[in-house]
Amino acid sequence: MKRILKTIFVAAIAGAVIFGYQKQIRTFWGRFEAQKISLSNPLLQLERGHPGLENLLGRLGGKLNPCDRPIPYSTGSFDARFGISRSDFLGAIREAEQIWEKPIKRELFVNASDTSTPDTKARLKINLIYDARQDATVKLRKYGMTIRDSRESYDALKTNYESLKNEYAQEKALFDSQAAALQQREDAYNKEVETWSARGGAPPEEYDRLNAERAAIDQDIAKINQIKDDLNAKVDRINAMVIVLNRLAETLNIEVAHYNQIGSQSSGEFEEGVYLNGPTGQEVDIYQFDDRAKLVRVLAHELGHSLDLDHLTNPKAIMYRLNQGANEKPTPEDLAALKKHCGIN
């Protein structure tokens, strides 16, 4: 009975592939008739002709024979602002691979650019993408703030955030008052200049006074602009704190209100990494990590998704939904899910 059901399942999948890609298949057979393409490996010919079909066929093979063939990967987008070399990044990927491979003694991933695996085409692309998430981490690091995924780190950062935000509020109120007074002063100066211009010009003593006033106003404008730059630097620092505080709250599952940034449209929502599976292939995007250990763990979590592993409820698991913790070994729940996927008893 199981053999019959498996045959029906395979036939259904094959039918779906043929129906969904009938245009490409007709094109392929047209090329075959016109150019006498070799049929020694027809699926290979289809793969070379359509990247979407290549991904679907690769995924189909993975569904029917999970863990029998390693997933070939390559690095894609790579932003040097993370301060890590491409070779170090590849080393972290290899460490993340081994988290899944060592316990079951199987090769689950392979670097498609490795010279020992010639003619292997990457099905999974791993990207290192720099945006506000990592930028916030880098900025806080410049201020001597080392962030860890712990409640102590969250509480310390929250204290610094509240202190800096109060300091900013006081300085901003003073700045607004000074800027308004300076604007009134400049408006009065401009009005006086216009009055004397309408009269045909100011007498020498008034002319000298107005020039001195203009020079004094310009000096005060320079001072107020410096204060504005200092305030903007504080805003930048506060917003970096907001991003990291929101990330830590999600990672540690702390029930607190969402912090809002100052003068920014960014929501501060945070994901260290994400796994995507689209029509042209699979991708892992890495957005943030505090140190190498965290990078390896984020990579391991997303590589787990590429193996079709779902989120787990154990907070210590590699595949826990919040991707928290610093453990670099799979839990029994992780291993049970992996063995089930690979068909290992």
Side-chain angles (χ1 to χ4, degrees):
M1 184 63 180
K2 288 184 179 179
R3 184 175 296 177
I4 294 174
L5 290 175
K6 185 175 181 180
T7 302
I8 293 173
F9 173 74
V10 173
I13 294 292
V17 171
I18 293 171
F19 179 78
Y21 289 90
Q22 52 186 314
K23 181 178 179 180
Q24 290 85 349
I25 293 173
R26 285 198 300 269
T27 300
F28 165 75
W29 284 113
R31 289 172 57 211
F32 168 71
E33 291 295 335
Q35 303 175 22
K36 301 300 180 183
I37 297 174
S38 171
L39 287 179
S40 60
N41 192 348
L43 290 183
L44 181 61
Q45 301 296 333
L46 285 172
E47 288 178 355
R48 289 174 178 169
H50 195 278
L53 185 55
E54 172 188 355
N55 180 49
L56 180 59
L57 291 171
R59 297 288 288 167
L60 176 59
K63 291 285 187 182
L64 298 178
N65 302 291
C67 309
D68 278 2
R69 290 192 302 171
I71 297 174
Y73 67 84
S74 66
T75 55
S77 300
F78 183 86
D79 198 311
R81 285 177 291 178
F82 279 88
I84 183 174
S85 68
R86 191 179 288 269
S87 61
D88 285 341
F89 186 51
L90 283 169
I93 295 173
R94 284 192 291 272
E95 287 182 38
E97 290 177 49
Q98 292 169 7
I99 287 176
W100 298 112
E101 293 173 339
K102 279 187 175 180
I104 63 171
K105 298 179 180 178
R106 290 195 187 185
E107 188 178 34
L108 301 174
F109 303 92
V110 61
N111 185 350
S113 60
D114 194 332
T115 54
S116 65
T117 56
D119 301 323
T120 300
K121 193 168 184 179
R123 199 171 84 222
L124 172 66
K125 190 167 288 186
I126 304 176
N127 306 304
L128 195 56
I129 301 174
Y130 191 99
D131 63 10
R133 283 163 277 202
Q134 183 67 15
D135 190 53
T137 300
V138 172
K139 285 176 180 175
L140 295 189
R141 196 178 293 153
K142 288 180 180 178
Y143 289 108
M145 299 182 189
T146 302
I147 307 301
R148 296 284 182 265
D149 288 346
S150 67
R151 184 60 191 252
E152 291 76 15
S153 187
Y154 172 87
D155 290 339
L157 183 59
K158 182 183 176 184
T159 298
N160 286 331
Y161 161 77
E162 291 174 344
S163 175
L164 189 61
K165 189 177 179 182
N166 289 334
E167 182 181 316
Y168 166 79
Q170 294 173 8
E171 292 179 2
K172 179 67 162 57
L174 180 60
F175 167 81
D176 289 341
S177 175
Q178 292 175 335
L182 182 59
Q183 185 63 56
Q184 289 178 353
R185 184 180 174 186
E186 187 171 31
D187 289 343
Y189 166 84
N190 290 332
K191 186 175 181 180
E192 192 171 3
V193 168
E194 290 175 3
T195 299
W196 283 114
S197 295
R199 295 178 183 178
E205 63 274 10
E206 287 297 325
Y207 180 81
D208 290 342
R209 183 183 65 80
L210 287 172
N211 277 343
E213 175 68 0
R214 179 71 262 175
I217 290 174
D218 288 342
Q219 285 182 351
D220 286 346
I221 288 176
K223 291 178 182 178
I224 207 76
N225 283 335
Q226 182 59 55
I227 295 173
K228 183 180 179 181
D229 289 343
D230 292 342
L231 283 172
N232 285 336
K234 277 189 172 66
V235 167
D236 201 36
R237 187 174 170 186
I238 289 169
N239 287 342
M241 289 181 173
V242 166
I243 292 176
V244 177
L245 278 170
N246 287 333
R247 188 263 291 182
L248 285 174
E250 293 177 12
T251 300
L252 301 173
N253 202 21
I254 301 173
E255 295 293 335
V256 293
H258 189 86
Y259 294 92
N260 294 317
Q261 293 188 339
I262 298 175
S264 173
Q265 298 301 315
S266 173
S267 66
E269 293 178 356
F270 204 102
E271 280 184 299
E272 293 96 338
V274 63
Y275 167 72
L276 304 167
N277 181 25
T280 59
Q282 303 169 72
E283 292 192 54
V284 164
D285 293 339
I286 302 299
Y287 295 108
Q288 189 274 337
F289 54 90
D290 299 316
D291 50 36
R292 183 183 177 83
K294 189 59 183 287
L295 172 60
V296 171
R297 197 186 185 291
V298 173
L299 281 165
H301 181 93
E302 303 307 335
L303 289 179
H305 282 312
S306 73
L307 291 169
D308 285 331
L309 301 185
D310 293 325
H311 285 149
L312 298 172
T313 57
N314 182 356
K316 293 184 178 181
I318 295 292
M319 295 309 299
Y320 182 59
R321 64 180 182 85
L322 294 178
N323 194 15
Q324 70 176 19
N327 57 306
E328 297 179 14
K329 293 183 179 180
T331 63
E333 292 89 343
D334 285 314
L335 291 179
L338 178 62
K339 288 180 179 180
K340 182 179 179 181
H341 168 71
C342 293
I344 300 174
N345 296 326

